[in-house]
Amino acid sequence: MEIERKFTIKQLPANLEEYPSHHIEQAYICTAPVLRVRREDDDYILTYKGSGMLEREEHNFALNKEAYQHLLAKADGNIISKKRYLIPLANPMFQKGFPAPPADYQLTIELDVFSPPFAPLVMAEVEFGSREAAEAFIPPAWFDEDVTFRQEYHNSYMALQS
């Protein structure tokens, strides 16, 4: 199960290049249900995603390079390329009433900097262990709009836009 929120951001962190990152290329074979092929650095993955915006079923299957290239040729729409930075978020903030997490609790911000034709789009995604945590999460000040429930910010939708 994938439980995540998506945000646009106000500004890039000043020290962005200090964080680990991955080069990602992905395309969509189908969008209902979502069938995605992805190259992340030197790893190749086929992903099935169920319906939903905040919470949805997700299954990943390893591919080899040849299978990835074969499926990539069958994809619809644009191939999405982006650089993903993994930014630790220690001591995340949650709304009152949500149980305080352990002192060593940490989330990871996946900050995606998109290449053309989607540049200059930059989005942050944060995955959670429960729907309750996702709903109670207070985003950092450098996050902007919560776009979790806006279809136009989901990669599967973006890939089909011209």
Side-chain angles (χ1 to χ4, degrees):
M1 185 66 63
E2 175 186 60
I3 304 168
E4 72 178 5
R5 288 180 59 190
K6 296 174 178 272
F7 301 86
T8 57
I9 64 163
K10 295 176 186 172
Q11 63 185 33
L12 290 172
N15 57 343
L16 190 58
E17 293 301 325
E18 295 176 13
Y19 296 107
S21 65
H22 299 285
H23 290 281
I24 295 175
E25 174 185 83
Q26 63 190 37
Y28 293 83
I29 307 299
C30 183
T31 58
V34 171
L35 288 177
R36 177 187 73 203
V37 291
R38 172 183 278 179
R39 177 181 59 81
E40 184 171 321
D41 300 324
D42 294 324
D43 293 326
Y44 304 92
I45 305 154
L46 171 67
T47 300
Y48 162 84
K49 290 188 177 204
S51 61
M53 300 292 249
L54 172 69
E55 182 177 9
R56 61 187 174 166
E57 185 179 356
E58 178 180 275
H59 300 283
N60 292 308
F61 306 94
L63 295 173
N64 61 33
K65 184 177 182 177
E66 293 74 24
Y68 169 76
Q69 290 174 334
H70 176 78
L71 291 169
L72 185 65
K74 299 178 181 327
D76 294 329
N78 295 297
I79 295 172
I80 294 176
S81 294
K82 56 190 175 182
K83 188 169 184 180
R84 172 170 285 172
Y85 295 90
L86 304 175
I87 304 171
L89 180 59
N91 304 312
M93 302 293 294
F94 293 95
Q95 295 173 5
K96 285 185 180 179
F98 185 77
D104 62 347
Y105 184 74
Q106 180 173 294
L107 294 172
T108 300
I109 298 166
E110 296 177 340
L111 184 69
D112 290 341
V113 178
F114 288 81
S115 301
F118 302 103
L121 180 62
V122 178
M123 286 197 315
E125 297 178 356
V126 181
E127 290 194 24
F128 301 89
S130 71
R131 182 180 192 94
E132 295 76 22
E135 291 170 344
F137 176 69
I138 298 172
W142 58 277
F143 281 24
D144 197 16
E145 186 179 358
D146 183 340
V147 294
T148 303
F149 296 99
R150 292 185 50 193
Q151 177 182 347
E152 65 268 26
Y153 286 97
H154 285 257
N155 287 226
S156 57
Y157 178 86
M158 291 167 43
L160 298 180
Q161 304 312 302
S162 44

